[in-house]
Amino acid sequence: MTVLTPHCRLDLTRWATWPAALWTGLFFLLPLLIMLAVSFSARVDNRMLAVFTLDNYAAFFTQGGGVYVAALLNSVEVTAIVTLVSLAVAYPLAYILAYGVPARWQRLLLVVIVLPFWTSYVIRSYSWLLVLSEKGVINQVMMALGLFDQPIGLGNTRGATVLGFVHFFTMLLTLTIYANLVQIKESYRKAAADLGASPLQVFLRITLPLSLPGVAVGAFLTFVLAIGDYITPQILGGSRELLLPQAIMLQISRQANFEMASAMSMVLMLVVSAAFLLFARHLRMERV
Amino acid sequence: MSARRIFAIVYLLLALGFIFLPVVMLVQYSFQDGLLPVPPFKGVSLRWYEAFLANDRLIHAMGNSTLVAIASSAVATTLGFLAAYGMARRKRRLNLGLQLLLMAPIAVSYLIIAMGLLIVFNWLGISRSLLAVGIGHVVINLPLCFAIVYSQLGEHQANIERAAHDLGASDLKALLLITVPMLWPALLAGFLIAATLSWDEFVIAFLLSKFEVTMPVMIWSMLRSGLNPALNAAGTVVFAISILFVILIELIQARSRRHG
């Protein structure tokens, strides 16, 4: 057999990456750049006017008595609550799955845990309305326990939005945290225990720090997906308080005001970028 | 049994209860015998499955969803595979930038992606249609397909490709007869995941479609016109189909783990 030389490289490799890059450039990057430009242009007589103006961004902060800023703050608040609560629910679950369940059952149990993930997204949100309705399970349990005197409509509230989100992201976070936990070498924990660490110390000084990358990845995904989601707040939260994606959708579908909607989208992307920097810095700090 | 063990089991059961609560409700009320799909539960009946099957618009929308899912996933898998292949086999300075570009759509809200496409399609004169929805779905699924294939592409396949090349196979022949068959579990997994996500995607489908709509959009418009018990039946059927897909993906991955 002859010595393989670089000439053997397939020529296909030269262009194979480009169709995908072209597609993403044309249908993702270009639209984003155009939206950025649109967000700086004016809307006059229901038509776009290509002039450079900051009016849309100014309107974001002033219009309607700060209704957009309120939507942004609502979004950040709800997303932060959702991320924290989902972490609190998912971490113990992932921990029990990784360390308390026999290895051969782990994969099956994991598949079972994320099974509801595969129900139709719109219908899953709406199913929570069944659970939360006045004669639904939660009200019945609460009444039986004597915690509620009379049934309470729990849908169309911020709590319902948070619940719907937490349900979805508990599944997602369990996946990322579990994947991280099973990669931590057992010898580390054993060594710590041999050296006299209590189970709590082993957890706090070995397991928890080593699992933070999985936590950070999951938390970032949760943040990004939750803050940009329209369906869950629209179905479960009702229209009592708006989140930013709902406000953006109103601008598109009711007003057809793409200038304003673009500016709002840019603000949303800015918040996500800020979150990314926050999580990225946290990750790097953990590695040092 | 230790206290820790009991706590673990109780927590596991509570968590599973929470996770399955909406699904159990959905399935239970799909069998509701009564005019309204709201609690209390009145008894078992199959009437809403009949109503679902008789709902031509919903069935038609499911057909549309299937069409968009298969077409967009096929394109996303093909483009993702080619990109991963080109990236793995040709080291160049551009690679990092290209990888960033290809993965970027992951970090952007579907709503924003959909709106950008809506503006561009308006300007280009491309009307809102299933084609427009499909283009959007390729955008969101391409990063996943690319990442899945890229993670499976290693040096051992490169060596076999070189051998095939030495034995006189053309570029294309080596790609189709060597690389693709070796990667089929990753390709199929990428395709199935993309298809599942596309099938269920709402915001892009909602903003980019007009007369012909996909199933989530149809369900949405049915929801807006009041609670419809047939939706529970539709949701249950969708869930059942999705579970079949999940089992399929699991089987393929188990197979590839055995062989890999």
Side-chain angles (χ1 to χ4, degrees):
Chain A
M1 195 159 155
T2 54
V3 176
L4 296 173
T5 60
H7 295 290
C8 291
R9 287 260 167 117
L10 307 181
D11 249 343
L12 270 174
T13 57
R14 191 187 289 279
W15 59 264
T17 309
W18 292 110
L22 199 67
W23 192 287
T24 309
L26 200 59
F27 297 121
F28 171 75
L29 196 59
L30 181 69
L32 278 192
L33 293 175
I34 291 176
M35 272 170 83
L36 183 65
V38 168
S39 76
F40 287 112
S41 53
R43 188 165 190 81
V44 180
D45 297 333
N46 279 329
R47 308 206 60 143
M48 202 184 80
L49 197 64
V51 289
F52 181 84
T53 168
L54 290 170
D55 284 359
N56 298 311
Y57 290 93
F60 180 88
F61 288 100
T62 56
Q63 213 173 58
V67 60
Y68 299 127
V69 178
L72 172 65
L73 292 179
N74 281 338
S75 272
V76 172
E77 245 176 70
V78 165
T79 306
I81 295 171
V82 164
T83 308
L84 290 176
V85 175
S86 306
L87 272 175
V89 177
Y91 199 100
L93 186 58
Y95 188 90
I96 292 169
L97 189 61
Y99 300 136
V101 174
R104 62 202 170 98
W105 294 110
Q106 285 181 11
R107 195 170 168 87
L108 180 67
L109 196 54
L110 196 66
V111 171
V112 170
I113 285 174
V114 295
L115 211 51
F117 200 76
W118 303 104
T119 45
S120 163
Y121 189 57
V122 175
I123 288 184
R124 187 180 335 110
S125 295
Y126 141 83
S127 301
W128 275 110
L129 286 179
L130 294 177
V131 178
L132 296 169
S133 70
E134 291 200 2
K135 285 179 180 158
V137 186
I138 293 188
N139 266 307
Q140 282 178 351
V141 171
M142 288 305 195
M143 301 257 290
L145 291 173
L147 291 171
F148 288 1
D149 292 334
Q150 51 186 24
I152 298 171
L154 299 163
N156 298 326
T157 59
R158 174 184 277 205
T161 303
V162 170
L163 187 67
F165 271 139
V166 167
H167 178 254
F168 183 80
F169 291 112
T170 294
M171 296 189 273
L172 184 90
L173 279 164
T174 305
L175 273 179
T176 65
I177 299 172
Y178 167 81
N180 196 149
L181 285 176
V182 288
Q183 277 173 5
I184 299 173
K185 286 201 183 88
E186 208 188 347
S187 54
Y188 292 171
R189 291 183 295 131
K190 277 192 173 154
D194 284 349
L195 293 168
S198 68
L200 185 66
Q201 277 175 322
V202 173
F203 174 71
L204 288 178
R205 316 237 350 218
I206 307 289
T207 314
L208 184 62
L210 286 175
S211 67
L212 280 182
V215 170
V217 168
F220 177 63
L221 270 178
T222 304
F223 192 92
V224 172
L225 293 174
I227 205 165
D229 184 61
Y230 168 74
I231 288 283
T232 301
Q234 184 69 19
I235 291 182
L236 288 173
S239 46
R240 240 185 277 173
E241 66 167 12
L242 282 185
L243 301 193
L244 196 51
Q246 292 172 287
I248 294 175
M249 192 61 112
L250 279 177
Q251 288 294 330
I252 303 173
S253 57
R254 291 276 166 79
Q255 324 264 342
N257 186 343
F258 286 106
E259 295 74 18
M260 190 65 204
S262 295
M264 292 161 81
S265 302
M266 291 301 139
V267 173
L268 183 58
M269 283 183 67
L270 215 61
V271 174
V272 171
S273 308
F276 175 73
L277 290 178
L278 202 77
F279 284 103
R281 209 167 69 190
H282 183 74
L283 262 178
R284 215 171 298 140
M285 260 165 51
E286 288 312 317
R287 280 202 201 115
V288 172
Chain B
M1 209 188 273
S2 72
R4 282 179 67 187
R5 189 131 195 93
I6 293 171
F7 173 79
I9 291 172
V10 169
Y11 192 88
L12 202 59
L13 290 177
L14 281 178
L16 280 174
F18 169 60
I19 287 169
F20 275 88
L21 188 55
V23 178
V24 170
M25 285 294 135
L26 175 72
V27 176
Q28 182 188 354
Y29 282 93
S30 72
F31 295 106
Q32 168 86 312
D33 187 14
L35 285 177
L36 284 174
V38 293
F41 191 63
K42 291 209 175 90
V44 176
S45 139
L46 284 177
R47 57 193 290 187
W48 300 117
Y49 285 88
E50 280 170 38
F52 162 60
L53 290 175
N55 190 329
D56 291 339
R57 292 191 323 162
L58 201 54
I59 300 288
H60 184 70
M62 271 175 106
N64 284 344
S65 273
T66 310
L67 182 72
V68 171
I70 290 176
S72 74
S73 309
V75 175
T77 311
T78 309
L79 292 183
F81 161 66
L82 283 175
Y85 174 76
M87 202 93 84
R89 295 290 178 264
R90 181 171 284 262
K91 306 287 174 232
R92 56 190 152 196
R93 237 176 289 166
L94 259 176
N95 272 5
L96 186 65
L98 282 172
Q99 202 172 342
L100 272 179
L101 172 69
L102 290 180
M103 294 307 291
I106 292 253
V108 178
S109 163
Y110 287 1
L111 175 59
I112 296 178
I113 293 176
M115 194 174 114
L117 282 173
L118 188 58
I119 294 174
V120 171
F121 286 166
N122 267 344
W123 283 3
L124 293 178
I126 298 176
S127 56
R128 290 156 65 190
S129 61
L130 290 181
L131 176 70
V133 175
I135 291 176
H137 284 181
V138 173
V139 170
I140 58 168
N141 283 326
L142 186 51
L144 295 174
C145 294
F146 165 73
I148 290 171
V149 177
Y150 193 56
S151 70
Q152 299 293 318
L153 265 171
E155 269 309 299
H156 63 286
Q157 294 131 346
N159 288 335
I160 302 177
E161 280 161 20
R162 281 191 205 108
H165 216 224
D166 268 12
L167 293 168
S170 67
D171 299 355
L172 199 62
K173 220 171 176 180
L175 188 74
L176 291 179
L177 294 179
I178 305 294
T179 318
V180 169
M182 277 193 298
L183 280 173
W184 78 265
L187 291 172
L188 200 54
F191 177 83
L192 289 175
I193 290 172
T196 318
L197 291 177
S198 161
W199 208 60
D200 196 30
E201 197 284 329
F202 172 76
V203 172
I204 293 173
F206 178 65
L207 283 180
L208 295 182
S209 65
K210 200 165 192 174
F211 302 115
E212 290 287 326
V213 297
T214 60
M215 182 204 53
V217 179
M218 180 58 74
I219 289 174
W220 175 259
S221 64
M222 285 170 72
L223 266 178
R224 305 200 85 175
S225 56
L227 287 176
N228 186 330
L231 282 180
N232 293 330
T236 306
V237 171
V238 170
F239 184 43
I241 295 173
S242 303
I243 288 178
L244 284 181
F245 267 91
V246 174
I247 293 172
L248 207 61
I249 295 174
E250 277 301 309
L251 287 179
I252 290 164
Q253 284 185 342
R255 207 186 147 97
S256 77
R257 268 201 305 276
R258 263 207 310 279
H259 290 278

